[in-house]
Amino acid sequence: KGKRVALLSKNCYEYGVNAFGIILAGGVVVTLNQKKTWPELEYEIGLVEPSLILNDGIDYGCRDQLVAAYSPILRPMDSFKDSEPAMDITNTRGHDDLMVLMFTSGTTGRSKGVMLCERNFFAVMPHHVRVGQRFCQLKNDPDLLVSHMTLLPMFHLGAFGCLFTWAWMGWAQNLGSLRSFYKDLKRMPSQAMAAVPVLVQSIHHDLMTGKQDKLGDLWALNCMSAMFDPQTLMDLHDHGMVISQLYGSTETTGGGLINFAEDAKHIGSIGKDDGHCEIKLDNGELCMRGGDVMLGYYKDPEGTAEVVDAEGWFHTGDLARVDEDGYYFLTGRKKNVIILDS
């Protein structure tokens, strides 16, 4: 209970088993990006001081350094197969106990460990489940079964959170890879998929060049992690794709705004407030408050105080405007004079 266990691996079945196993035993899941440089990984591992590192054994560029520094606590991803249950699963944690440590991208310096608890993940759950409920409504089938393709790496909140969302819906989650996207779609037919810009562009190219067959059963895209070109999204919609857009961050457990609009006026928006948390503009900066806001940055109270104020508002750093219909549009960054939308 309370021990930190790091997962350093590509997407695989064992990733989900280990994540849930650590959580149910009361431990803390630490998700690491296996493709970072050794200095970056060394810093993150040193910061969290894990009791174990579960690893897939693949050399992503710094395997030798990892083994030399941490061989006593390295274990294969499937090492659970050699173990018997050591305890009964009862109430192993409080709602606000640290459950997951996930690192930010570190685009403004060293990455920060975002501390997330059980309450965070389940406060945001209704927000994400609405996407699935929309699919059921569109198909007029409350018992609709959907397979979701997860290509984003599991250290990314947009992928890791799917372990909870689609399990809640009772839907299958197919774990694939960006590098083998089309092969994985063929092997694991999927109707829905979380999509980042590189995937959206690839799918857009297929649809616009008459190669829709490459996408198999895919008909729904959950777009996240960036702004998307409105015309590209309209093209996808016009070719039969159902588009959902989610605005959030690791610090808000992926929660924030949601956009189901597929009209030219609103498809470029980052979404509307769906009521699962509080949203406000503070001098133009988009801020959020609610159960999905992180516990803070790990071992970094000063960094936490810079983004979460005394009243619990998380300051995203994004500047936005809201139109008469309640849709928010990004206009820039608080520390950046570049205007994205006027």
Side-chain angles (χ1 to χ4, degrees):
K1 180 176 173 64
K3 290 186 176 181
R4 294 167 298 285
V5 180
L7 300 180
L8 190 63
S9 168
K10 65 179 182 180
N11 288 3
C12 58
Y13 167 77
E14 290 80 10
Y15 206 114
V17 172
N18 285 316
F20 282 128
I22 296 161
I23 288 169
L24 290 171
V28 178
V29 178
V30 181
T31 64
L32 296 174
N33 180 349
Q34 71 275 18
K35 294 185 179 180
K36 283 191 173 181
T37 66
W38 177 242
E40 292 171 318
L41 272 178
E42 187 178 35
Y43 167 73
E44 293 177 2
I45 295 171
L47 181 70
V48 301
E49 300 176 295
S51 299
L52 283 176
I53 301 174
L54 299 175
N55 177 243
D56 59 13
I58 298 172
D59 186 358
Y60 296 98
C62 53
R63 175 74 182 167
D64 291 343
Q65 295 96 317
L66 179 69
V67 171
Y70 293 105
S71 59
I73 59 171
L74 275 181
R75 299 287 186 280
M77 288 292 286
D78 64 352
S79 58
F80 59 83
K81 294 178 180 178
D82 298 326
S83 303
E84 293 295 329
M87 55 182 279
D88 292 330
I89 300 300
T90 55
N91 292 328
T92 56
R93 71 175 68 250
H95 290 316
D96 296 304
D97 292 343
L98 177 61
M99 187 173 86
V100 176
L101 260 175
M102 189 167 285
F103 283 87
T104 60
S105 60
T107 55
T108 57
R110 268 187 166 168
S111 56
K112 296 178 180 294
V114 176
M115 297 189 291
L116 302 173
C117 64
E118 182 179 83
R119 188 183 304 277
N120 292 149
F121 279 92
F122 288 93
V124 80
M125 197 58 59
H127 176 69
H128 293 311
V129 167
R130 283 187 182 91
V131 177
Q133 292 171 334
R134 180 190 181 211
F135 297 162
C136 295
Q137 292 166 356
L138 290 172
K139 296 296 184 180
N140 196 28
D141 182 0
D143 300 316
L144 180 70
L145 294 178
V146 170
S147 289
H148 183 273
M149 175 61 75
T150 300
L151 295 175
L152 301 178
M154 297 298 288
F155 61 78
H156 188 291
L157 182 68
F160 188 83
C162 290
L163 288 174
F164 300 87
T165 305
W166 304 117
W168 183 308
M169 294 293 296
W171 292 353
Q173 181 172 195
N174 299 326
L175 299 180
S177 167
L178 287 168
R179 297 183 66 179
S180 55
F181 170 41
Y182 294 105
K183 183 185 296 184
D184 289 339
L185 267 184
K186 188 173 183 179
R187 290 191 305 144
M188 299 178 284
S190 306
Q191 294 78 49
M193 185 176 71
V196 291
V198 64
L199 281 173
V200 169
Q201 290 298 328
S202 181
I203 293 168
H204 179 263
H205 179 267
D206 292 336
L207 293 178
M208 301 303 286
T209 56
K211 299 176 182 176
Q212 187 162 353
D213 289 349
K214 293 175 65 177
L215 303 175
D217 298 338
L218 188 66
W219 56 265
L221 296 178
N222 306 323
C223 302
M224 59 181 65
S225 301
M227 287 187 67
F228 293 83
D229 174 54
Q231 186 57 54
T232 297
L233 297 181
M234 284 302 302
D235 289 343
L236 294 173
H237 166 71
D238 293 342
H239 282 76
M241 282 288 171
V242 172
I243 305 297
S244 305
Q245 294 186 73
L246 304 172
Y247 170 89
S249 66
T250 307
E251 288 89 342
T252 61
T253 329
L257 301 169
I258 193 165
N259 187 8
F260 292 153
E262 294 178 294
D263 60 275
K265 180 179 179 181
H266 296 120
I267 203 166
S269 162
I270 56 171
K272 297 179 73 173
D273 177 2
D274 70 349
H276 87 281
C277 69
E278 296 179 79
I279 304 288
K280 73 173 183 178
L281 293 178
D282 182 2
N283 292 322
E285 183 182 11
L286 191 58
C287 302
M288 305 179 201
R289 181 170 68 177
D292 51 357
V293 173
M294 66 174 179
L295 299 174
Y297 292 127
Y298 191 62
K299 296 181 181 179
D300 188 4
E302 294 82 6
T304 303
E306 289 178 4
V307 296
V308 181
D309 66 26
E311 296 180 345
W313 287 98
F314 172 68
H315 293 249
T316 66
D318 286 326
L319 299 176
R321 62 177 177 86
V322 59
D323 72 5
E324 66 278 5
D325 300 313
Y327 287 87
Y328 287 80
F329 294 80
L330 291 184
T331 59
R333 286 287 295 173
K334 186 177 180 181
K335 296 181 180 180
N336 194 332
V337 297
I338 297 175
I339 302 300
L340 302 176
D341 176 74
S342 59

